[in-house]
Amino acid sequence: MADAFIVAARRTAGARKGGRLAGWHPADLAAQVLDALVSQLAIDPALIDDVVMGCVGQAGEQSFNIARNAILASKLPESVPGVSVDRQCGSSQQALHFAAQAVMSGTMDVVIAGGVESMTRVPMGLPATLPFKNGFGSYMSPAIQARYPGVQFSQFAGAEQLAVKYGLSKDALDQYALASHRRAAAATREGRFDSEIVPIPVRNAEGTATGEMHAADEGIRFDASLEGIAGVKLLAEGGRLSAASASQICDGAAALVVANERGLKALGATPLAIVRQMTVVGHDPVIMLEGPVPATPVALRKAGLSLDEIDLFEVNEAFASVPLAWLAATGADPARLNVNGGAIALGHPLGASGAKLMTTLVHALHARGARYGLQTMCEGGGLANVTIVERV
């Protein structure tokens, strides 16, 4: 079977809800990243066999196959197809898996995997809440309700359950949140994100360009303090988590070019990394966010690697309890985890986060001269993806 190479990886800087990317239609925002990849590699865009794009909020401006719409908003020819994926927060990580599987099979040679989410323009949960409020029912079918009586699936409840299960105190969660901001701030000051970020013109709410460029993650609190974080209101009375120890609502897009050896020759490109293992597991949908814990050893075993052989880890910071529980369960070295900060500081643009994290991971492996990287995401429904890559 052929290898799957990551040839290029780019992302927008994250933007706060109502912030510097709020004036961008999500199809146009994703198109900016597609165009940047094609321009960076100076390739014939007709060589692209498919575009697989993750998106969670597939409603309104993100409906009607956002991947295809991003292509039509880009400089890519109409001949390039596109398909949209929803595996909740792991949507664009799954897009990478699908792209890698396609080129490994030889049925395709060059595929772009990416994701986009405008949480400003398509608020979180809209595809479920809008139909429900208008009398079109709920995803909670009678059979699901019978299997999980009295249960309301909630990532917020799951995050608290995870903190309790692993004995994570509020102070530990707050300390982790502070570390995320400090790592992200240091990475930004030192220019570690420069090679991965596509600068985007800032547009106001009416979509008019302001003359500024958005080239740095907007959510980082460079002056973050433990006192400030600790003082934020809890998400639930008597709980341990607050908005300060949870991922930030975010607008953003990211994408990667994936190719096999035949595709590499056609592109005339040098790869950044090889995809060594792709794993996805189902887990308890009630605690919901624990999936990366059982998924990680499965991926390592299939890759024939030990935890100690992994140089860098990216574990999505949906809530601080997720990476801390993962650390507690795996015994991984915390100094190798989310070394440039995570979603608590940088934002979590849902369907774009998988591609965003992989973009950061691949660039970090090169910056540090490291060999192996592992990325994992907790996902709605009790799912988790794990991807292991090797720097080339």
Side-chain angles (χ1 to χ4, degrees):
M1 186 176 291
D3 284 322
F5 297 94
I6 296 174
V7 182
R10 303 292 296 276
R11 69 176 179 91
T12 68
R16 291 177 178 172
K17 181 178 181 180
R20 294 169 67 83
L21 293 179
W24 280 86
H25 188 291
D28 293 346
L29 183 62
Q32 291 282 302
V33 180
L34 296 180
D35 288 342
L37 287 172
V38 172
S39 176
Q40 175 187 329
L41 295 175
I43 61 175
D44 177 0
L47 293 172
I48 299 166
D49 291 310
D50 204 357
V51 174
V52 187
M53 189 163 286
C55 183
V56 175
Q58 294 187 35
E61 294 184 1
Q62 294 177 169
S63 66
F64 205 66
N65 192 1
I66 185 66
R68 178 59 173 166
N69 293 337
I71 292 165
L72 299 179
S74 76
K75 297 176 182 177
L76 298 181
E78 293 177 349
S79 59
V80 177
V83 63
S84 302
V85 176
D86 175 8
R87 204 190 281 279
Q88 296 295 282
C89 297
S91 295
S92 56
Q93 186 172 1
Q94 185 60 53
L96 172 60
H97 287 198
F98 285 152
Q101 290 161 351
V103 303
M104 290 169 73
S105 74
T107 57
M108 295 183 181
D109 296 327
V110 181
V111 179
I112 292 180
V116 64
E117 205 82 40
S118 176
M119 298 180 75
T120 295
R121 300 168 78 108
V122 184
M124 184 167 60
L126 188 72
T129 59
L130 186 61
F132 181 76
K133 289 178 180 177
N134 286 276
F136 290 99
S138 166
Y139 70 92
M140 291 288 289
S141 74
I144 295 173
Q145 294 178 55
R147 185 172 181 177
Y148 300 95
V151 172
Q152 182 67 45
F153 296 136
S154 165
Q155 60 175 326
F156 301 102
E160 290 286 357
Q161 291 173 37
L162 205 56
V164 171
K165 180 174 180 177
Y166 287 88
L168 305 172
S169 67
K170 181 181 182 301
D171 182 62
L173 299 166
D174 289 345
Q175 290 276 6
Y176 184 88
L178 177 62
S180 182
H181 282 283
R182 287 181 172 173
R183 291 189 193 115
T188 301
R189 290 193 193 101
E190 295 167 16
R192 283 184 248 155
F193 293 135
D194 291 354
S195 62
E196 65 190 63
I197 288 178
V198 177
I200 303 290
V202 177
R203 291 179 175 177
N204 61 25
E206 290 73 39
T208 304
T210 66
E212 299 177 85
M213 297 297 289
H214 178 55
D217 295 286
E218 192 177 7
I220 303 169
R221 294 181 173 86
F222 289 86
D223 60 350
S225 68
L226 185 60
E227 294 75 20
I229 290 171
V232 175
K233 183 181 177 181
L234 295 172
L235 294 175
E237 186 176 349
R240 307 180 187 189
L241 289 153
S242 70
S245 53
S247 56
Q248 294 186 40
I249 291 173
C250 183
D251 301 337
L256 308 97
V257 177
V258 182
N260 55 24
E261 290 186 9
R262 191 165 55 220
L264 281 180
K265 290 178 182 178
L267 296 174
T270 301
L272 298 172
I274 302 176
V275 178
R276 288 301 188 196
Q277 176 57 38
M278 298 166 285
T279 296
V280 61
V281 304
H283 192 55
D284 181 354
V286 180
I287 196 168
M288 191 178 290
L289 309 181
E290 195 180 14
V293 170
T296 296
V298 172
L300 289 168
R301 184 176 69 252
K302 289 185 175 182
L305 294 169
S306 70
L307 192 73
D308 290 340
E309 290 179 276
I310 306 298
D311 299 292
L312 294 175
F313 302 98
E314 283 287 335
V315 179
N316 191 41
E317 295 173 0
F319 298 86
S321 53
V322 176
L324 286 177
W326 182 87
L327 281 172
T330 62
D333 180 359
R336 303 182 189 184
L337 173 66
N338 297 356
V339 294
N340 291 328
I344 289 171
L346 300 167
H348 176 18
L350 300 184
S353 286
K356 175 180 179 291
L357 264 62
M358 182 55 72
T359 295
T360 295
L361 177 58
V362 168
H363 284 268
L365 287 172
H366 276 266
R368 293 168 177 253
R371 184 176 182 183
Y372 290 113
L374 181 151
Q375 174 195 343
T376 184
M377 306 273 290
C378 60
E379 301 156 9
L383 304 170
N385 281 66
V386 181
T387 315
I388 297 174
V389 297
E390 181 180 4
R391 177 182 65 88
V392 177

PDB file of all heavy atoms in Angstrom, residues 332-357:
ATOM      1  N   ALA A 332       2.000  10.256  29.910  1.00  0.00           N
ATOM      2  CA  ALA A 332       2.848  10.954  28.944  1.00  0.00           C
ATOM      3  C   ALA A 332       3.585  12.116  29.606  1.00  0.00           C
ATOM      4  O   ALA A 332       3.162  12.653  30.639  1.00  0.00           O
ATOM      5  CB  ALA A 332       2.005  11.467  27.782  1.00  0.00           C
ATOM      6  N   ASP A 333       4.680  12.518  28.983  1.00  0.00           N
ATOM      7  CA  ASP A 333       5.483  13.633  29.471  1.00  0.00           C
ATOM      8  C   ASP A 333       4.735  14.941  29.195  1.00  0.00           C
ATOM      9  O   ASP A 333       4.537  15.302  28.030  1.00  0.00           O
ATOM     10  CB  ASP A 333       6.834  13.632  28.758  1.00  0.00           C
ATOM     11  CG  ASP A 333       7.752  14.762  29.206  1.00  0.00           C
ATOM     12  OD1 ASP A 333       7.336  15.574  30.058  1.00  0.00           O
ATOM     13  OD2 ASP A 333       8.887  14.823  28.693  1.00  0.00           O
ATOM     14  N   PRO A 334       4.334  15.682  30.227  1.00  0.00           N
ATOM     15  CA  PRO A 334       3.586  16.929  29.983  1.00  0.00           C
ATOM     16  C   PRO A 334       4.391  17.977  29.220  1.00  0.00           C
ATOM     17  O   PRO A 334       3.807  18.867  28.596  1.00  0.00           O
ATOM     18  CB  PRO A 334       3.218  17.404  31.395  1.00  0.00           C
ATOM     19  CG  PRO A 334       4.150  16.696  32.315  1.00  0.00           C
ATOM     20  CD  PRO A 334       4.469  15.392  31.664  1.00  0.00           C
ATOM     21  N   ALA A 335       5.709  17.878  29.240  1.00  0.00           N
ATOM     22  CA  ALA A 335       6.533  18.841  28.517  1.00  0.00           C
ATOM     23  C   ALA A 335       6.428  18.664  27.002  1.00  0.00           C
ATOM     24  O   ALA A 335       6.821  19.551  26.246  1.00  0.00           O
ATOM     25  CB  ALA A 335       7.993  18.706  28.943  1.00  0.00           C
ATOM     26  N   ARG A 336       5.879  17.528  26.553  1.00  0.00           N
ATOM     27  CA  ARG A 336       5.719  17.275  25.117  1.00  0.00           C
ATOM     28  C   ARG A 336       4.300  17.564  24.639  1.00  0.00           C
ATOM     29  O   ARG A 336       4.004  17.398  23.460  1.00  0.00           O
ATOM     30  CB  ARG A 336       6.050  15.809  24.802  1.00  0.00           C
ATOM     31  CG  ARG A 336       7.436  15.369  25.219  1.00  0.00           C
ATOM     32  CD  ARG A 336       7.675  13.914  24.826  1.00  0.00           C
ATOM     33  NE  ARG A 336       8.912  13.396  25.383  1.00  0.00           N
ATOM     34  CZ  ARG A 336       9.395  12.182  25.128  1.00  0.00           C
ATOM     35  NH1 ARG A 336       8.725  11.367  24.323  1.00  0.00           N
ATOM     36  NH2 ARG A 336      10.529  11.786  25.693  1.00  0.00           N
ATOM     37  N   LEU A 337       3.438  17.992  25.529  1.00  0.00           N
ATOM     38  CA  LEU A 337       2.013  18.169  25.223  1.00  0.00           C
ATOM     39  C   LEU A 337       1.676  19.616  24.898  1.00  0.00           C
ATOM     40  O   LEU A 337       1.984  20.521  25.683  1.00  0.00           O
ATOM     41  CB  LEU A 337       1.175  17.699  26.415  1.00  0.00           C
ATOM     42  CG  LEU A 337      -0.331  17.970  26.342  1.00  0.00           C
ATOM     43  CD1 LEU A 337      -0.978  17.167  25.232  1.00  0.00           C
ATOM     44  CD2 LEU A 337      -0.988  17.671  27.686  1.00  0.00           C
ATOM     45  N   ASN A 338       1.054  19.831  23.728  1.00  0.00           N
ATOM     46  CA  ASN A 338       0.550  21.162  23.353  1.00  0.00           C
ATOM     47  C   ASN A 338       1.597  22.242  23.632  1.00  0.00           C
ATOM     48  O   ASN A 338       1.342  23.224  24.332  1.00  0.00           O
ATOM     49  CB  ASN A 338      -0.757  21.454  24.100  1.00  0.00           C
ATOM     50  CG  ASN A 338      -1.864  20.489  23.737  1.00  0.00           C
ATOM     51  OD1 ASN A 338      -1.717  19.624  22.881  1.00  0.00           O
ATOM     52  ND2 ASN A 338      -2.994  20.618  24.411  1.00  0.00           N
ATOM     53  N   VAL A 339       2.772  22.048  23.055  1.00  0.00           N
ATOM     54  CA  VAL A 339       3.925  22.883  23.401  1.00  0.00           C
ATOM     55  C   VAL A 339       3.755  24.331  22.967  1.00  0.00           C
ATOM     56  O   VAL A 339       4.441  25.219  23.494  1.00  0.00           O
ATOM     57  CB  VAL A 339       5.226  22.298  22.804  1.00  0.00           C
ATOM     58  CG1 VAL A 339       5.549  20.952  23.455  1.00  0.00           C
ATOM     59  CG2 VAL A 339       5.128  22.149  21.283  1.00  0.00           C
ATOM     60  N   ASN A 340       2.868  24.582  22.015  1.00  0.00           N
ATOM     61  CA  ASN A 340       2.603  25.959  21.564  1.00  0.00           C
ATOM     62  C   ASN A 340       1.252  26.469  22.038  1.00  0.00           C
ATOM     63  O   ASN A 340       0.684  27.396  21.461  1.00  0.00           O
ATOM     64  CB  ASN A 340       2.680  26.034  20.040  1.00  0.00           C
ATOM     65  CG  ASN A 340       4.095  25.835  19.521  1.00  0.00           C
ATOM     66  OD1 ASN A 340       5.067  26.204  20.182  1.00  0.00           O
ATOM     67  ND2 ASN A 340       4.219  25.226  18.358  1.00  0.00           N
ATOM     68  N   GLY A 341       0.758  25.864  23.129  1.00  0.00           N
ATOM     69  CA  GLY A 341      -0.565  26.230  23.614  1.00  0.00           C
ATOM     70  C   GLY A 341      -1.632  25.451  22.892  1.00  0.00           C
ATOM     71  O   GLY A 341      -1.354  24.676  21.965  1.00  0.00           O
ATOM     72  N   GLY A 342      -2.876  25.633  23.319  1.00  0.00           N
ATOM     73  CA  GLY A 342      -3.976  24.891  22.715  1.00  0.00           C
ATOM     74  C   GLY A 342      -5.226  25.723  22.620  1.00  0.00           C
ATOM     75  O   GLY A 342      -5.190  26.958  22.706  1.00  0.00           O
ATOM     76  N   ALA A 343      -6.352  25.046  22.495  1.00  0.00           N
ATOM     77  CA  ALA A 343      -7.620  25.714  22.195  1.00  0.00           C
ATOM     78  C   ALA A 343      -8.094  26.648  23.299  1.00  0.00           C
ATOM     79  O   ALA A 343      -8.896  27.548  23.044  1.00  0.00           O
ATOM     80  CB  ALA A 343      -8.696  24.677  21.905  1.00  0.00           C
ATOM     81  N   ILE A 344      -7.624  26.453  24.524  1.00  0.00           N
ATOM     82  CA  ILE A 344      -7.988  27.377  25.600  1.00  0.00           C
ATOM     83  C   ILE A 344      -7.485  28.781  25.281  1.00  0.00           C
ATOM     84  O   ILE A 344      -8.169  29.772  25.540  1.00  0.00           O
ATOM     85  CB  ILE A 344      -7.439  26.874  26.946  1.00  0.00           C
ATOM     86  CG1 ILE A 344      -8.215  25.626  27.390  1.00  0.00           C
ATOM     87  CG2 ILE A 344      -7.522  27.955  28.029  1.00  0.00           C
ATOM     88  CD1 ILE A 344      -7.621  24.917  28.590  1.00  0.00           C
ATOM     89  N   ALA A 345      -6.322  28.858  24.666  1.00  0.00           N
ATOM     90  CA  ALA A 345      -5.745  30.152  24.290  1.00  0.00           C
ATOM     91  C   ALA A 345      -5.983  30.492  22.822  1.00  0.00           C
ATOM     92  O   ALA A 345      -6.238  31.651  22.482  1.00  0.00           O
ATOM     93  CB  ALA A 345      -4.240  30.147  24.572  1.00  0.00           C
ATOM     94  N   LEU A 346      -5.897  29.482  21.954  1.00  0.00           N
ATOM     95  CA  LEU A 346      -5.889  29.725  20.517  1.00  0.00           C
ATOM     96  C   LEU A 346      -7.262  29.619  19.871  1.00  0.00           C
ATOM     97  O   LEU A 346      -7.451  30.050  18.732  1.00  0.00           O
ATOM     98  CB  LEU A 346      -4.941  28.739  19.831  1.00  0.00           C
ATOM     99  CG  LEU A 346      -3.477  28.821  20.285  1.00  0.00           C
ATOM    100  CD1 LEU A 346      -2.692  27.617  19.783  1.00  0.00           C
ATOM    101  CD2 LEU A 346      -2.850  30.117  19.803  1.00  0.00           C
ATOM    102  N   GLY A 347      -8.230  29.021  20.588  1.00  0.00           N
ATOM    103  CA  GLY A 347      -9.573  28.866  20.045  1.00  0.00           C
ATOM    104  C   GLY A 347      -9.800  27.492  19.450  1.00  0.00           C
ATOM    105  O   GLY A 347      -8.865  26.793  19.050  1.00  0.00           O
ATOM    106  N   HIS A 348     -11.075  27.120  19.402  1.00  0.00           N
ATOM    107  CA  HIS A 348     -11.494  25.800  18.912  1.00  0.00           C
ATOM    108  C   HIS A 348     -12.582  25.999  17.866  1.00  0.00           C
ATOM    109  O   HIS A 348     -13.774  25.981  18.173  1.00  0.00           O
ATOM    110  CB  HIS A 348     -12.004  24.982  20.101  1.00  0.00           C
ATOM    111  CG  HIS A 348     -12.552  23.636  19.773  1.00  0.00           C
ATOM    112  ND1 HIS A 348     -12.298  22.968  18.580  1.00  0.00           N
ATOM    113  CD2 HIS A 348     -13.351  22.793  20.495  1.00  0.00           C
ATOM    114  CE1 HIS A 348     -12.906  21.799  18.599  1.00  0.00           C
ATOM    115  NE2 HIS A 348     -13.559  21.663  19.737  1.00  0.00           N
ATOM    116  N   PRO A 349     -12.184  26.197  16.600  1.00  0.00           N
ATOM    117  CA  PRO A 349     -13.177  26.391  15.546  1.00  0.00           C
ATOM    118  C   PRO A 349     -13.784  25.068  15.068  1.00  0.00           C
ATOM    119  O   PRO A 349     -13.824  24.770  13.870  1.00  0.00           O
ATOM    120  CB  PRO A 349     -12.367  27.082  14.440  1.00  0.00           C
ATOM    121  CG  PRO A 349     -10.981  26.551  14.621  1.00  0.00           C
ATOM    122  CD  PRO A 349     -10.814  26.364  16.098  1.00  0.00           C
ATOM    123  N   LEU A 350     -14.252  24.279  16.014  1.00  0.00           N
ATOM    124  CA  LEU A 350     -14.978  23.029  15.815  1.00  0.00           C
ATOM    125  C   LEU A 350     -14.485  22.224  14.614  1.00  0.00           C
ATOM    126  O   LEU A 350     -13.466  21.548  14.701  1.00  0.00           O
ATOM    127  CB  LEU A 350     -16.485  23.310  15.730  1.00  0.00           C
ATOM    128  CG  LEU A 350     -17.096  23.975  16.973  1.00  0.00           C
ATOM    129  CD1 LEU A 350     -18.611  24.114  16.807  1.00  0.00           C
ATOM    130  CD2 LEU A 350     -16.754  23.241  18.247  1.00  0.00           C
ATOM    131  N   GLY A 351     -15.199  22.258  13.497  1.00  0.00           N
ATOM    132  CA  GLY A 351     -14.859  21.423  12.362  1.00  0.00           C
ATOM    133  C   GLY A 351     -13.525  21.715  11.728  1.00  0.00           C
ATOM    134  O   GLY A 351     -13.018  20.910  10.942  1.00  0.00           O
ATOM    135  N   ALA A 352     -12.903  22.839  12.038  1.00  0.00           N
ATOM    136  CA  ALA A 352     -11.580  23.173  11.498  1.00  0.00           C
ATOM    137  C   ALA A 352     -10.456  22.746  12.428  1.00  0.00           C
ATOM    138  O   ALA A 352      -9.286  22.750  12.021  1.00  0.00           O
ATOM    139  CB  ALA A 352     -11.479  24.679  11.240  1.00  0.00           C
ATOM    140  N   SER A 353     -10.778  22.372  13.667  1.00  0.00           N
ATOM    141  CA  SER A 353      -9.733  22.174  14.666  1.00  0.00           C
ATOM    142  C   SER A 353      -8.814  21.000  14.378  1.00  0.00           C
ATOM    143  O   SER A 353      -7.619  21.048  14.679  1.00  0.00           O
ATOM    144  CB  SER A 353     -10.352  22.021  16.058  1.00  0.00           C
ATOM    145  OG  SER A 353     -10.821  23.263  16.539  1.00  0.00           O
ATOM    146  N   GLY A 354      -9.345  19.915  13.811  1.00  0.00           N
ATOM    147  CA  GLY A 354      -8.489  18.783  13.516  1.00  0.00           C
ATOM    148  C   GLY A 354      -7.370  19.145  12.558  1.00  0.00           C
ATOM    149  O   GLY A 354      -6.199  18.830  12.792  1.00  0.00           O
ATOM    150  N   ALA A 355      -7.708  19.809  11.460  1.00  0.00           N
ATOM    151  CA  ALA A 355      -6.695  20.249  10.492  1.00  0.00           C
ATOM    152  C   ALA A 355      -5.803  21.328  11.089  1.00  0.00           C
ATOM    153  O   ALA A 355      -4.605  21.393  10.799  1.00  0.00           O
ATOM    154  CB  ALA A 355      -7.378  20.760   9.225  1.00  0.00           C
ATOM    155  N   LYS A 356      -6.369  22.161  11.926  1.00  0.00           N
ATOM    156  CA  LYS A 356      -5.596  23.225  12.589  1.00  0.00           C
ATOM    157  C   LYS A 356      -4.524  22.623  13.496  1.00  0.00           C
ATOM    158  O   LYS A 356      -3.355  23.037  13.463  1.00  0.00           O
ATOM    159  CB  LYS A 356      -6.539  24.114  13.397  1.00  0.00           C
ATOM    160  CG  LYS A 356      -5.888  25.198  14.232  1.00  0.00           C
ATOM    161  CD  LYS A 356      -6.967  25.991  14.968  1.00  0.00           C
ATOM    162  CE  LYS A 356      -6.384  27.085  15.841  1.00  0.00           C
ATOM    163  NZ  LYS A 356      -5.647  26.521  17.000  1.00  0.00           N
ATOM    164  N   LEU A 357      -4.903  21.653  14.314  1.00  0.00           N
ATOM    165  CA  LEU A 357      -3.941  21.032  15.221  1.00  0.00           C
ATOM    166  C   LEU A 357      -2.863  20.275  14.458  1.00  0.00           C
ATOM    167  O   LEU A 357      -1.687  20.315  14.828  1.00  0.00           O
ATOM    168  CB  LEU A 357      -4.649  20.094  16.197  1.00  0.00           C
ATOM    169  CG  LEU A 357      -4.986  20.678  17.567  1.00  0.00           C
ATOM    170  CD1 LEU A 357      -5.946  21.863  17.443  1.00  0.00           C
ATOM    171  CD2 LEU A 357      -5.591  19.618  18.476  1.00  0.00           C
TER     172      LEU A 357
END
